[in-house]
Amino acid sequence: AQRVTQPEKLLSVFKGAPVELKCNYSYSGSPELFWYVQYSRQRLQLLLRHISRESIKGFTADLNKGETSFHLKKPFAQEEDSAMYYCALGPNQAGTALIFGKGTTLSVSS
Amino acid sequence: ETGVTQTPRHLVMGMTNKKSLKCEQHLGHNAMYWYKQSAKKPLELMFVYSLEERVENNSVPSRFSPECPNSSHLFLHLHTLQPEDSALYLCASSQEWEMNQPQHFGDGTRLSIL
């Protein structure tokens, strides 16, 4: 079964601390993985996708097929990073929509 | 910002009312989606339209009725809803209905059923 698991509902860190938002997926093929972010009172928006291999707002995520993980990382958290983060799986099949995890709320305090 | 626009932003209705949610996108995309975002559940895909044809219906109750008159507009008609239908309803669009296209989301409609 295709599934995305974000084990943490809430992650609280201090400003300047490293952040790792966990995401594990279940899919037999070669998926595409995404991270979406929703800041307070803003729309859900794409943060990054694994095929781009880019860093957005200091965040990176590496696809680990062996561990079926796509954890989101940032070395030094900022208060403005506080938001809801969703990991999403894009099955590599034409005509299949994204599958989202339940989301993790990141709270960064000073 | 041109993008995905949803109206209304908030809607309160009784269980016997009939209302509609509207979504409009100015991105030239061919696929549009309705999602339900409840507080304690993953984002749930409800419907997908590609080139104005419904291509996916994820076991959504018939009290939710989508309509896609053209590739820029998507509606969700609501009637005789239940309290558990209270949620944030998100509309999204993507270039095509295939192969992991990034989706652009609207701000959502916050629906409360009395």
Side-chain angles (χ1 to χ4, degrees):
Chain A
Q2 300 162 0
R3 188 170 58 244
V4 175
T5 303
Q6 292 180 251
E8 303 142 327
K9 286 187 65 175
L10 173 66
L11 182 63
S12 297
V13 301
F14 288 107
K15 178 181 174 181
V19 170
E20 182 178 66
L21 297 167
K22 291 184 168 51
C23 173
N24 290 90
Y25 67 91
S26 174
Y27 182 64
S28 58
S30 295
E32 185 167 350
L33 277 298
F34 303 82
W35 276 99
Y36 282 81
V37 60
Q38 188 168 24
Y39 300 102
S40 179
R41 301 179 183 178
Q42 294 188 28
R43 63 184 60 187
L44 193 63
Q45 57 187 290
L46 179 66
L47 180 62
L48 53 82
R49 55 194 300 187
H50 91 271
I51 62 169
S52 301
R53 303 188 67 82
E54 57 193 348
S55 174
I56 303 294
K57 298 184 179 182
F59 285 97
T60 59
D62 292 318
L63 178 61
N64 185 323
K65 292 185 179 181
E67 295 182 359
T68 59
S69 68
F70 188 57
H71 303 328
L72 183 67
K73 300 178 183 180
K74 184 170 183 177
F76 306 103
Q78 303 299 314
E79 290 182 75
E80 55 265 29
D81 296 327
S82 297
M84 183 74 152
Y85 291 81
Y86 291 92
C87 182
L89 165 70
N92 198 8
Q93 301 169 2
T96 307
L98 293 176
I99 300 167
F100 285 83
K102 290 186 179 183
T104 298
T105 299
L106 174 64
S107 176
V108 182
S109 55
S110 57
Chain B
E1 175 195 339
T2 59
V4 180
T5 304
Q6 289 185 243
T7 54
R9 293 293 303 276
H10 302 274
L11 179 61
V12 179
M13 56 187 286
M15 289 191 285
T16 58
N17 292 157
K18 291 184 179 181
K19 296 287 184 183
S20 296
L21 309 185
K22 179 181 176 182
C23 177
E24 187 173 357
Q25 58 96 1
H26 302 283
L27 300 169
H29 289 168
N30 291 322
M32 297 185 76
Y33 311 77
W34 278 118
Y35 287 90
K36 177 182 180 183
Q37 187 176 11
S38 301
K40 299 180 180 180
K41 294 184 178 181
L43 206 59
E44 301 172 59
L45 179 65
M46 300 175 72
F47 301 103
V48 182
Y49 276 82
S50 175
L51 296 173
E52 302 146 46
E53 285 192 27
R54 189 189 309 183
V55 295
E56 188 157 321
N57 173 357
N58 279 2
S59 302
V60 179
S62 59
R63 57 186 184 268
F64 294 92
S65 175
E67 179 190 1
C68 188
N70 56 62
S71 60
S72 298
H73 294 86
L74 184 65
F75 294 90
L76 187 63
H77 303 300
L78 316 170
H79 65 97
T80 58
L81 295 191
Q82 303 299 308
E84 62 265 27
D85 297 323
S86 297
L88 180 69
Y89 289 83
L90 291 167
C91 175
S93 70
S94 64
Q95 188 63 52
E96 302 293 343
W97 164 231
E98 61 182 13
M99 300 302 289
N100 316 320
Q101 295 282 322
Q103 295 177 18
H104 298 254
F105 287 82
D107 290 325
T109 295
R110 176 73 62 184
L111 176 66
S112 298
I113 306 300
L114 301 178

